[in-house]
Amino acid sequence: MKNKYSIIIIPPEHEKAPNQIQFSIKAKKIILISSAVFGVFFSGMFVHDVYQHYYIKSYQQKISYVDQLEKEIQDKNLEIARLNDKTAEINDNLLAIDSMEKKIAGILKINPETESSPTPSNSGPEAGPGNISLQSFSKAGTLDQASNLVENSKKKIEQYYDTTIQQQDRVNHTPSILPVNGPISSPFGYRRNPFGRWTSEFHTGVDIACAVGTPVMAVADGTVTFAGWDGYWGRKVQVNHSFGIVTFYAHNSKLIVSPGDEVKKGQVVAYSGNSGRSTGSHLHYSAYVNGQLVDPLMFTTYSKEQ
Ligand SMILES: [Zn+2]
């Protein structure tokens, strides 16, 4: 028994004899080393499993992040495609605006002085939801064109506005109404002389029948150049409307403007009467264009034809 270890196994029932296993010191060493080797091996396996568990877990997080990124890219591409469609729509509308601008320029009789506008193009890689690519960013060129077109349109519209204001001013300074409402009792041109039975005279305007005291209106915007007594015309108001047009209203009973006054179309400047060389209550209305007498009804007739 020397230099040997013994393990005695006692069975539960004491009737049977206990088993005795003997092994030497060398065997003990082998058992211990084997136990240590197995211990290290299983510990290694355990550490490996734990590492693998955490590695897989972190990798799954990365996969999930990549999935999220892919979805975001897909969403962005859809947004880019939508913006491209919108850009094409804006370009179409700008073309329509350009066409309308040309028509307005024709009506206003002006030639817009703007640099040649780039023609919008819908060509290039199509980028619908079914054909999405980051190359869609090349559409930015189309956006630049749209931006230039908008800038040009703005300049043209500003020009149209100025022209319209000028033309509106011209319209306001052009006679388009009669100074009083009433029947024409004597037209423009040669007529029998109301003061001489068998002679004729050139009537320099139109006579409009109206009661004494009827408000007399300026037929267009302008400046009063005469307001006073005239031996022939009685109480007379004369208005210079610019653009070569001058009108006057005679035989009034009362004047309510003075020379230098600015008057507007329709503004009352006098009250009608029978002053001066007149045979009865009426308003005499005369008009000049570039210093030449004209039939004042040409303005209202002209106006009615518009
Ligand atoms: Zn007259």
Side-chain angles (χ1 to χ4, degrees), residues 170-179 181 217-221 241 245 247 249 265-266 285 296-306:
R170 179 71 189 258
V171 167
N172 289 341
H173 284 81
T174 303
S176 60
I177 58 172
L178 291 174
N181 289 318
M217 300 175 287
V219 295
D221 291 6
H241 304 289
I245 302 170
T247 60
Y249 324 107
K265 183 179 290 191
Y285 167 34
L297 295 184
M298 69 176 265
F299 295 115
T300 46
T301 303
Y302 177 78
S303 176
K304 279 172 190 166
E305 284 173 355
Q306 293 304 296

Side-chain angles (χ1 to χ4, degrees), residues 173 175 219 223 225 236-249 285-294 296 299:
H173 284 81
V219 295
T223 307
T225 50
K236 170 186 163 187
V237 173
Q238 183 166 293
V239 179
N240 184 347
H241 304 289
S242 306
F243 307 107
I245 302 170
V246 173
T247 60
F248 74 79
Y249 324 107
Y285 167 34
S286 272
Y288 295 88
V289 173
N290 296 325
Q292 299 294 312
L293 273 169
V294 296
F299 295 115

Side-chain angles (χ1 to χ4, degrees), residues 191 203 207 282 284:
R191 66 174 182 181
H203 190 213
D207 290 344
H282 73 281
H284 175 93

Side-chain angles (χ1 to χ4, degrees), residues 260-279:
D261 286 357
E262 297 288 329
V263 292
K264 292 285 178 192
K265 183 179 290 191
Q267 183 178 332
V268 176
V269 294
Y271 290 95
S272 69
N274 192 27
S275 60
R277 190 168 173 266
S278 171
T279 54

Side-chain angles (χ1 to χ4, degrees), residues 21-41:
I21 298 165
Q22 289 186 336
F23 51 92
S24 64
I25 292 172
K26 193 180 173 186
K28 177 201 158 193
K29 280 181 183 171
I30 289 168
I31 289 168
L32 285 175
I33 289 167
S34 298
S35 299
V37 167
F38 277 108
V40 167
F41 175 75

